[in-house]
Amino acid sequence: METISENACFGGTQGVYTHASEACACDMTFGLFQPAEARDGPVPLLWFLSGLTCTHENAMTKAGAQSWAAEQGIALVFPDTSPRGEGVASDDAYDLGQGAGFYVNATQDPWKPHFQMWDYVTEELPALLGENFALDMERQAITGHSMGGHGALTIAMSLPGRFRSVSAFAPIVHPTASDWGRKQFTAYLGEDEAAWAAHDATLLMRERGFDGPVLIDTGTNDQFIDLLKPESFAEAVSARRQQATLRLQPGYDHSYFFISTFMEEHVAFHADALYA
């Protein structure tokens, strides 16, 4: 692992690191904010999974999360959204290929050799973080935006006991019924739609739910709301009688202005679960 940068930030440290990933067969970069408390021992960890076209840097610099994480004594990790570099497959469209990994393990060429984002986020990167930083890996929570909200919800529901809480900002919650999902799942996972179900938050909520609190915010002026399908997830939550807070925020869109507005509440929501 190589340190790219480390900057003092709200009494702690905002770092950027790169490492050779076995899962993705390329170098991967991530950001990690460590609050001041990490100097004295392991602290809880909150994951932020970013959306389409983003790198590790977007949320790290635009979401305003560090100040609230510092207040709560929580670390923040910002993984990249896909493998990158020469020899890594991509596409001219913004919503497929590099910057659009969708947090799945691709089974189809040309994506299969590198696009193993599920294994990277759920296995390889957690192991690396636990070995190299003062993090309490028994106390984790997860959040994300758009494609990253999809990843946060599906990962949380698929790994019972791993995360104490899950939240999302404008998540893609029913990708098997959306153009933001069907296109990518066909490319990465193939034509068999049965293989897609494990990566659909609405279907996972209907099947198994989440063993903890859930918080989701979506803006009523989100320009992509028809692709996000918040009503589908709300119906699944209601049918399952799942503990969840689902909010439509009047006037807000899909941008980081929306995310930064509600970040304080999301961090506090996770802090309640992480310190319970």
Side-chain angles (χ1 to χ4, degrees), residues 136-187:
D136 183 353
M137 303 305 284
E138 296 300 314
R139 289 189 291 165
Q140 297 185 63
I142 191 167
T143 188
H145 171 230
S146 193
M147 178 185 73
H150 139 78
L153 291 166
T154 56
I155 289 170
M157 284 187 278
S158 298
L159 301 174
R162 171 79 66 92
F163 301 100
R164 297 194 181 184
S165 51
V166 60
S167 75
F169 300 86
I172 303 167
V173 292
H174 199 9
T176 62
S178 169
D179 289 342
W180 270 0
R182 296 189 63 84
K183 172 184 177 179
Q184 294 82 3
F185 289 175
T186 300

Side-chain angles (χ1 to χ4, degrees), residues 176-257:
T176 62
S178 169
D179 289 342
W180 270 0
R182 296 189 63 84
K183 172 184 177 179
Q184 294 82 3
F185 289 175
T186 300
Y188 296 146
L189 303 176
E191 299 283 350
D192 183 4
E193 296 189 17
W196 304 357
H199 299 286
D200 186 302
T202 294
L203 300 182
L204 288 171
M205 177 56 67
R206 291 173 185 167
E207 177 186 343
R208 64 183 72 172
F210 177 67
D211 53 347
V214 179
L215 171 64
I216 295 178
D217 280 313
T218 304
T220 60
N221 282 9
D222 192 307
Q223 57 271 48
F224 305 112
I225 197 165
D226 290 339
L227 294 167
L228 306 178
K229 298 188 176 296
E231 66 282 355
S232 298
F233 193 75
E235 291 168 1
V237 164
S238 179
R240 190 170 185 82
R241 298 174 181 171
Q242 165 78 45
Q243 175 188 3
T245 301
L246 312 178
R247 307 188 298 195
L248 290 173
Q249 300 291 358
Y252 286 90
D253 60 15
H254 202 70
S255 70
Y256 272 90
F257 297 111

Side-chain angles (χ1 to χ4, degrees), residues 5 14 23 49 54 57 71 94 111 119-120 130 153 159 162 187 190 205 211 214 218 233 242 259 264-265 267 270-271:
S5 62
Q14 176 62 63
L49 304 185
C54 291
E57 190 174 21
E71 189 173 285
Y94 75 94
W111 315 105
D119 283 353
Y120 178 70
L153 291 166
L159 301 174
R162 171 79 66 92
M205 177 56 67
D211 53 347
V214 179
T218 304
F233 193 75
Q242 165 78 45
I259 296 170
E264 178 184 7
E265 294 179 50
V267 173
H270 291 295

